[in-house]
Coordinates of all heavy atoms in Angstrom, one line a residue:
A97 N -1.1 -1.5 3.3 CA -0.2 -2.6 3.3 C 1.0 -2.2 2.4 O 1.0 -1.4 1.5 CB -0.8 -3.8 2.5
V98 N 2.2 -2.6 2.9 CA 3.5 -2.5 2.2 C 3.8 -3.9 1.8 O 3.3 -4.8 2.2 CB 4.5 -1.8 3.1 CG1 4.0 -0.4 3.4 CG2 4.8 -2.5 4.4
V99 N 4.8 -4.0 0.9 CA 5.3 -5.2 0.3 C 5.7 -6.2 1.4 O 5.3 -7.3 1.4 CB 6.3 -4.9 -0.7 CG1 7.0 -6.3 -1.2 CG2 5.8 -4.2 -1.8
S100 N 6.4 -5.7 2.4 CA 6.9 -6.6 3.4 C 5.7 -7.2 4.2 O 6.0 -8.4 4.7 CB 7.8 -5.9 4.4 OG 7.2 -4.9 5.1
Q101 N 4.7 -6.6 4.3 CA 3.6 -7.1 5.2 C 2.8 -8.1 4.3 O 2.4 -9.2 4.7 CB 2.5 -6.1 5.4 CG 3.1 -5.2 6.6 CD 2.5 -3.8 6.7 OE1 1.8 -3.3 5.9 NE2 2.6 -3.3 7.9
V102 N 2.7 -7.9 2.9 CA 2.1 -8.8 2.0 C 2.9 -10.1 2.0 O 2.5 -11.3 2.0 CB 1.9 -8.4 0.6 CG1 1.3 -9.4 -0.3 CG2 0.9 -7.2 0.5
V103 N 4.2 -10.0 2.0 CA 5.1 -11.2 2.0 C 5.0 -11.9 3.3 O 4.9 -13.2 3.3 CB 6.7 -10.7 1.9 CG1 7.6 -11.8 2.2 CG2 6.9 -10.1 0.5
H104 N 4.9 -11.2 4.4 CA 4.7 -11.9 5.8 C 3.6 -12.7 5.8 O 3.6 -13.7 6.3 CB 4.7 -10.8 6.8 CG 4.3 -11.2 8.3 ND1 5.3 -11.8 9.1 CD2 3.2 -11.2 8.9 CE1 4.7 -12.3 10.2 NE2 3.5 -11.9 10.1
F105 N 2.4 -12.2 5.2 CA 1.2 -12.9 5.3 C 0.9 -13.9 4.0 O -0.1 -14.5 4.0 CB 0.0 -11.9 5.4 CG -0.1 -11.2 6.7 CD1 -0.1 -9.9 6.7 CD2 -0.3 -11.9 7.9 CE1 -0.2 -9.3 7.9 CE2 -0.6 -11.3 9.0 CZ -0.4 -9.9 9.0
A106 N 1.9 -13.8 3.1 CA 1.6 -14.6 1.8 C 1.2 -16.1 2.1 O 0.4 -16.6 1.4 CB 2.9 -14.5 1.0
P107 N 1.9 -16.7 3.0 CA 1.4 -18.2 3.2 C 0.0 -18.4 3.6 O -0.6 -19.4 3.3 CB 2.4 -18.7 4.3 CG 3.7 -17.7 4.2 CD 3.1 -16.4 3.9
R108 N -0.6 -17.3 4.3 CA -2.0 -17.3 4.7 C -2.9 -16.6 3.6 O -4.1 -16.9 3.7 CB -2.1 -16.6 6.0 CG -1.3 -17.2 7.1 CD -1.2 -16.3 8.3 NE -2.5 -16.2 9.0 CZ -2.7 -15.4 10.0 NH1 -1.7 -14.8 10.6 NH2 -3.8 -15.4 10.5
L109 N -2.3 -15.9 2.7 CA -3.1 -15.3 1.6 C -3.3 -16.1 0.5 O -4.2 -15.9 -0.3 CB -2.4 -13.9 1.3 CG -2.4 -12.8 2.2 CD1 -1.6 -11.7 1.9 CD2 -3.8 -12.2 2.6
L110 N -2.3 -17.0 0.2 CA -2.3 -17.9 -1.0 C -2.9 -19.3 -0.5 O -2.2 -20.2 -0.1 CB -0.9 -18.0 -1.5 CG -0.2 -16.7 -1.8 CD1 1.2 -16.8 -2.3 CD2 -1.0 -16.1 -3.2
P111 N -4.2 -19.5 -1.0 CA -4.7 -20.8 -0.7 C -4.2 -21.9 -1.5 O -4.3 -21.8 -2.7 CB -6.4 -20.6 -0.8 CG -6.2 -19.6 -1.9 CD -5.1 -18.7 -1.7
A112 N -3.8 -22.9 -0.9 CA -3.1 -24.1 -1.7 C -4.3 -24.9 -2.4 O -4.2 -25.6 -3.3 CB -2.3 -25.0 -0.8
S113 N -5.6 -24.9 -1.5 CA -6.7 -25.8 -2.1 C -7.9 -25.0 -1.7 O -8.1 -24.7 -0.6 CB -6.5 -27.1 -1.6 OG -7.6 -27.9 -2.0
P114 N -8.7 -24.7 -2.7 CA -8.5 -24.9 -4.2 C -7.4 -23.9 -4.7 O -7.6 -22.7 -4.3 CB -9.9 -24.8 -4.8 CG -10.6 -23.8 -3.9 CD -10.1 -24.2 -2.5
A115 N -6.6 -24.3 -5.6 CA -5.7 -23.3 -6.2 C -6.5 -22.4 -7.1 O -7.4 -22.8 -7.8 CB -4.7 -24.0 -7.0
P116 N -6.1 -21.0 -6.9 CA -6.7 -20.1 -7.8 C -6.4 -20.2 -9.2 O -5.3 -20.9 -9.6 CB -6.2 -18.7 -7.2 CG -5.0 -19.0 -6.5 CD -5.1 -20.4 -6.0
R117 N -7.2 -19.6 -10.2 CA -6.9 -19.6 -11.6 C -5.6 -18.8 -11.9 O -4.8 -19.2 -12.7 CB -8.0 -19.1 -12.3 CG -7.9 -19.1 -13.8 CD -9.1 -18.4 -14.5 NE -10.4 -19.1 -14.2 CZ -10.8 -20.0 -15.1 NH1 -10.2 -20.5 -16.2 NH2 -11.9 -20.6 -14.8

Side-chain angles (χ1 to χ4, degrees):
V98 294
V99 173
S100 63
Q101 291 165 339
V102 178
V103 170
H104 174 79
F105 289 119
R108 299 168 65 185
L109 291 169
L110 299 170
S113 179
R117 178 187 300 271

